[in-house]
Amino acid sequence: LARSKVNLFAQTRCKGEAVYWGGEAAPAKLFRDSSRLMLFPMEVDKIRIETALNTSSSQSRLSATVARKFFAFNSDSAGESANHRAMSLTAEGLTVRNVPVHLQDDTATNCQPTASGMQSRAIGFAGCYSSAPLSMGTDLLRKLRVYIAPKEERIYFTRADPTAPPLPITR
């Protein structure tokens, strides 16, 4: 999304070798909930949390319930406003600092945040499907390159870099 472009690839048996951009790619284990939503763990301010990609939102969002329970987030804290705060997102080998994360009011849902019993060993929702505590919106996705390898159950990230080599064209 960095240059308003999406590349789609046919599934292969590359075992991660289809990541064609330069530099290190940060891998994360890919999970699915009962609705088949793809989830992966990321660290947000050093706390492991289940995350999903959300291309329908221009903003990265964090559950307000999770923010209060696990991040002591409130509008009176320094550097915060009533609905967002700059946070650091980390996957193995990749850190993006000062990401504006907006709170999503989830008080009307049955989503119960928990830090135990989740397959991903991260904070997730119990009794709630098609939703993740953190969703990466296009504001953050435009800064990254993302490669999803569903057969490997992995997702790879790196920063969008204009110096990355172009995809070789084969006919």
Side-chain angles (χ1 to χ4, degrees):
L1 297 176
R3 290 182 280 279
S4 299
K5 182 178 178 182
V6 174
N7 291 330
L8 301 176
F9 301 92
Q11 284 187 323
T12 62
R13 298 179 196 270
C14 295
K15 300 204 186 269
E17 296 170 15
V19 176
Y20 63 87
W21 54 75
E24 293 292 317
K29 176 80 171 135
L30 194 60
F31 298 91
R32 293 182 189 260
D33 70 7
S34 296
S35 71
R36 309 294 294 154
L37 175 69
M38 292 185 298
L39 303 166
F40 50 93
M42 287 200 77
E43 286 188 9
V44 178
D45 289 350
K46 300 182 181 180
I47 297 174
R48 217 170 130 91
I49 186 167
E50 285 188 349
T51 308
L53 305 177
N54 185 354
T55 58
S56 67
S57 175
S58 63
Q59 299 174 333
S60 294
R61 297 179 182 274
L62 178 65
S63 153
T65 304
V66 169
R68 283 188 299 276
K69 184 173 182 178
F70 296 97
F71 294 93
F73 188 100
N74 65 61
S75 59
D76 297 329
S77 298
E80 297 175 3
S81 74
N83 65 356
H84 77 279
R85 164 169 83 174
M87 302 179 93
S88 293
L89 303 181
T90 306
E92 183 179 318
L94 172 73
T95 299
V96 183
R97 291 182 175 80
N98 297 319
V99 175
V101 177
H102 297 262
L103 289 186
Q104 180 164 334
D105 181 14
D106 57 355
T107 54
T109 69
N110 291 328
C111 300
Q112 297 300 315
T114 182
S116 63
M118 302 307 290
Q119 185 180 11
S120 64
R121 295 180 307 160
I123 295 166
F125 286 140
C128 185
Y129 306 106
S130 296
S131 185
L134 177 67
S135 65
M136 293 172 65
T138 58
D139 58 344
L140 179 56
L141 292 172
R142 289 182 200 280
K143 298 175 184 177
L144 301 173
R145 288 186 182 220
V146 179
Y147 174 71
I148 301 168
K151 288 183 179 179
E152 287 179 55
E153 297 179 337
R154 298 298 247 188
I155 186 167
Y156 299 88
F157 300 95
T158 193
R159 295 182 203 293
D161 182 5
T163 62
L167 178 67
I169 299 174
T170 57
R171 296 193 190 267

